[in-house]
Amino acid sequence: DVKVTQSSRYLVKRTGEKVFLECVQDMDHENMFWYRQDPGLGLRLIYFSYDVKMKEKGDIPEGYSVSREKKERFSLILESASTNQTSMYLCASSTTGPTGGAYQETQYFGPGTRLLVL
Amino acid sequence: ILNVEQSPQSLHVQEGDSTNFTCSFPSSNFYALHWYRWETAKSPEALFVMTLNGDEKKKGRISATLNTKEGYSYLYIKGSQPEDSATYLCAHSGSARQLTFGSGTQLTVLP
């Protein structure tokens, strides 16, 4: 059974703080993703990584950075938290398909971190 | 950003009713279409991945169809049960690595 865990379910931070959200998967997946979910907007991709130390920007990378030093761990960093980053953050992982892409591979999601920035 | 649209936004049905929802996506640059179910307080879980025009997938009472030429997919639930209450997300892949999610259809099945 694939397991994706996230470091916190709920987090409250102050404006300007540096925030780390951690995600760990135990299935040796090559690909990891960070999304945020806001009402009416669905899941929006922030960053993804298809290999250790590799990262690519998603659709809304501004204000975020990521780190992937080990295959199983993918961290999302809010360098200086702002109130508009209050959201639900979901991490996901997937394997790589036979053609080298991830498009047809199921993504396995963590339980989410609900972040409130005051 | 590719536009993935789902309709309706929300739906209430009676237990035993059959229902369906729609996912619309750009028909160009198609790689795959995913459906996920997201129950409250849980993680999204995969239902189907479809890659070929005309694909039909079935899991129990839930099935899905895909039309890549016109850019839509339908999800059907036969004989809805209260445990089917969830948000159903579709996600389109227009590239090898990324998915673009729709905003979901929130289904409530009333006992």
Side-chain angles (χ1 to χ4, degrees), chain A residues 34-36 41-48 56-62 64, chain B residues 1-4 92 95 98-101:
Chain A
W34 274 108
Y35 295 92
R36 64 179 280 178
L41 294 178
L43 296 176
R44 292 183 292 166
L45 182 64
I46 305 171
Y47 267 98
F48 65 101
E56 284 197 27
K57 292 179 181 179
D59 298 321
I60 51 163
E62 297 79 18
Y64 303 93
Chain B
I1 299 176
L2 299 174
N3 204 20
V4 179
H92 165 260
S95 71
Q98 280 183 247
L99 297 181
T100 299
F101 283 82

Side-chain angles (χ1 to χ4, degrees), chain A residues 13-17 36-39 41 44 46 60-64 78-89 115-118:
Chain A
K13 295 292 180 181
R14 297 225 171 259
T15 302
E17 280 192 76
R36 64 179 280 178
Q37 194 265 336
D38 300 289
L41 294 178
R44 292 183 292 166
I46 305 171
I60 51 163
E62 297 79 18
Y64 303 93
L78 286 66
E79 295 289 343
S80 177
S82 63
T83 54
N84 62 13
Q85 293 179 309
T86 290
S87 187
M88 165 77 95
Y89 290 88
L115 173 67
L116 173 62
V117 182
L118 300 172

Side-chain angles (χ1 to χ4, degrees), chain A residues 2-108:
Chain A
V2 176
K3 195 167 183 185
V4 180
T5 57
Q6 295 183 227
S7 48
S8 308
R9 291 300 299 268
Y10 300 94
L11 211 50
V12 180
K13 295 292 180 181
R14 297 225 171 259
T15 302
E17 280 192 76
K18 191 167 186 176
V19 182
F20 293 86
L21 302 181
E22 305 283 342
C23 175
V24 177
Q25 50 95 3
D26 67 357
M27 282 302 291
D28 202 36
H29 283 170
E30 295 84 6
N31 307 296
M32 296 187 75
F33 308 84
W34 274 108
Y35 295 92
R36 64 179 280 178
Q37 194 265 336
D38 300 289
L41 294 178
L43 296 176
R44 292 183 292 166
L45 182 64
I46 305 171
Y47 267 98
F48 65 101
S49 167
Y50 53 89
D51 201 353
V52 175
K53 298 194 186 295
M54 304 300 289
K55 60 186 178 185
E56 284 197 27
K57 292 179 181 179
D59 298 321
I60 51 163
E62 297 79 18
Y64 303 93
S65 62
V66 290
S67 171
R68 191 157 180 213
E69 296 296 319
K70 292 186 177 181
K71 192 174 185 180
E72 67 271 18
R73 188 179 297 269
F74 192 34
S75 302
L76 180 70
I77 303 154
L78 286 66
E79 295 289 343
S80 177
S82 63
T83 54
N84 62 13
Q85 293 179 309
T86 290
S87 187
M88 165 77 95
Y89 290 88
L90 284 132
C91 173
S93 72
S94 77
T95 190
T96 295
T99 58
Y103 59 91
Q104 61 183 6
E105 303 304 315
T106 294
Q107 292 192 9
Y108 296 87

